[in-house]
Amino acid sequence: MQNSAALDAALEDVHRAGVPGLFAEVRDGGHVWRGAAGVADVETGRPVTAGMRHRVGSITKTFTAAAVLLQVESGRLDLDRPVREYLPDLVPGDAITVRMLVNHTSGLAEYLPYAYPSLRAFPDLANTSPQSIDDHRFTRFDPVELIKLGVAAPPASAPGSTPGLYSNTNYLLLCELLERVTGIAAEKVITRDVIERAGLRDTELPCGTEVDGPHSRLYECWFGMIDPPRDYSVYDMSWVGPSASLISTVSDLNRFYARLLAGEIVSRASLAEMQRTVPVISQEGKVIPYGLGLHPTETPGQQAFWGHGGTVWGGGALAMTRADGGRQLALAVNLQRWNTLDASGRPQPHPIDAALAAFQRLALYGG
């Protein structure tokens, strides 16, 4: 790959800006670059490597959405039928459709601030604290109870209105929906229909609290309130369940998105549905175009890339693939919420932000 040295240097710049460790894979046609910078463990100095397994957070949502579309193709689900017809005990009324769950326009609130009391003030970050993150490290949450918290909370908007609101409540409901129509646990449906279909060997929805195989520790800052950053690599992921708990590698993520965009996971017609976007307010408070478990990049004058990002406590990942499949980036970092808050409670810019954006531009567009 022509810009391998530049990619190495740009990745190192992100590490120098403050991320303990990060690793990535860029594919450009038949050329593959893999790189890593920094450490997987700040105490021992153990280095990160590009083959490490990593918690990839809401990148899982693309896998979940693909599993839902496959059930639509089989005739077990209809995107535009009310969710109540499938889950009458969880979703009242006929206004919320399956599609609205997948593209985050259901209006249902995010359950997380209700499950984690110290985050109740979110998105008012200055009045949150990371205490609940510690308290619930090994809590085994019941997904139905989490869903009920989101459904009972004041709705963010009317069902179907835009901009929608990104909400994990939607995707936990989709996991319940998969189980209801197949009679199989959502983790097994997603594994059978998506992970195995894509031929992924290092990707799984975990049952335990640890990441098997070579992996990095995950360091959480919670906007400067955890200093020094604390390791959350061992954690019960039932707080998001099979909607955001996937463990994968950067190579597997690129393989998955290449096959998805080539029409090898869901049909071309289903892929077209996944790429129909609506405006949605992201967890960062930005309005972004969002499809069915996919969103595009928006860089003027450049071809669109499709994929998803994700965060967990201490870790983050991004996977984007050009619409024609010709170029791909998958990236993993072992630090999260590094921005401290200004006097008004808003996250301040950090050198990591600029370095990460520069690396992503180089990886996606070659400059």
Side-chain angles (χ1 to χ4, degrees):
M1 188 172 291
Q2 290 183 337
N3 57 353
S4 293
L7 286 167
D8 288 332
L11 201 69
E12 184 64 34
D13 286 345
V14 182
H15 167 55
R16 288 176 178 160
V19 174
L22 69 162
F23 48 100
E25 179 185 87
V26 176
R27 290 180 172 268
D28 188 4
H31 302 285
V32 180
W33 169 90
R34 296 185 186 95
V39 297
D41 187 325
V42 297
E43 293 182 0
T44 67
R46 174 171 58 93
V48 287
T49 64
M52 283 183 162
R53 305 181 83 225
H54 196 74
R55 298 193 191 276
V56 300
S58 283
I59 287 175
T60 315
K61 288 181 171 58
T62 311
F63 289 71
T64 305
V68 169
L69 267 293
L70 288 169
Q71 292 305 313
V72 172
E73 291 176 21
S74 74
R76 292 191 183 96
L77 283 175
D78 186 322
L79 284 173
D80 297 310
R81 293 185 76 85
V83 180
R84 185 185 63 80
E85 294 187 12
Y86 305 101
L87 299 171
D89 48 329
L90 292 178
V91 181
D94 291 332
I96 297 174
T97 66
V98 176
R99 184 187 301 274
M100 291 175 195
L101 297 181
V102 197
N103 69 9
H104 294 294
T105 59
S106 70
L108 292 173
E110 170 64 61
Y111 63 78
L112 192 58
Y114 300 92
Y116 281 55
S118 72
L119 306 185
R120 184 61 57 88
F122 188 87
D124 178 8
L125 297 173
N127 287 309
T128 64
S129 91
Q131 184 60 49
S132 294
I133 304 176
D134 282 320
D135 293 344
H136 289 304
R137 184 187 285 263
F138 297 111
T139 299
R140 194 68 184 170
F141 286 103
D142 181 336
V144 170
E145 294 305 313
L146 293 176
I147 288 167
K148 288 179 177 178
L149 291 174
V151 171
S157 60
S161 63
T162 56
L165 178 71
Y166 189 96
S167 169
N168 284 296
T169 305
N170 293 318
Y171 273 71
L172 274 190
L173 273 165
L174 289 171
C175 291
E176 290 298 309
L177 196 59
L178 285 171
E179 183 167 343
R180 194 69 58 93
V181 301
T182 65
I184 303 170
E187 292 93 334
K188 292 184 178 179
V189 177
I190 296 167
T191 299
R192 179 194 68 191
D193 293 351
V194 181
I195 295 172
E196 292 178 358
R197 181 175 297 209
L200 309 184
R201 298 180 178 178
D202 291 305
T203 299
E204 66 173 340
L205 289 161
C207 298
T209 60
E210 299 189 16
V211 179
D212 293 332
H215 64 280
S216 173
R217 295 187 181 276
L218 303 177
Y219 297 101
E220 179 64 46
C221 301
W222 196 255
F223 306 102
M225 298 180 205
I226 305 177
D227 188 17
R230 194 173 302 142
D231 172 23
Y232 288 98
S233 52
V234 178
Y235 209 96
D236 190 305
M237 293 299 294
S238 60
W239 61 283
V240 284
S243 68
S245 61
L246 199 73
I247 292 169
S248 191
T249 63
V250 290
S251 292
D252 263 10
L253 291 177
N254 277 338
R255 186 175 296 112
F256 167 68
Y257 280 102
R259 292 185 175 178
L260 179 71
L261 291 178
E264 296 174 6
I265 307 298
V266 300
S267 69
R268 287 286 184 181
S270 292
L271 179 61
E273 292 284 354
M274 294 181 78
Q275 293 177 308
R276 287 176 55 190
T277 65
V278 294
V280 168
I281 301 171
S282 72
Q283 288 183 317
E284 293 74 34
K286 300 176 182 177
V287 177
I288 63 170
Y290 196 93
L292 303 184
L294 278 177
H295 66 82
T297 54
E298 288 190 296
T299 303
Q302 299 284 2
Q303 289 189 56
F305 282 70
W306 291 87
H308 214 289
T311 67
V312 296
W313 309 129
L318 176 70
M320 302 301 292
T321 293
R322 200 167 64 198
D324 64 4
R327 192 170 177 102
Q328 297 185 273
L329 162 67
L331 166 71
V333 300
N334 66 4
L335 186 75
Q336 274 304 300
R337 285 160 283 273
W338 49 76
N339 305 86
T340 55
L341 304 178
D342 62 19
S344 64
R346 291 175 296 193
Q348 300 182 84
H350 190 286
I352 292 172
D353 302 324
L356 203 52
F359 172 76
Q360 290 174 17
R361 281 195 303 272
L362 180 66
L364 293 177
Y365 306 114

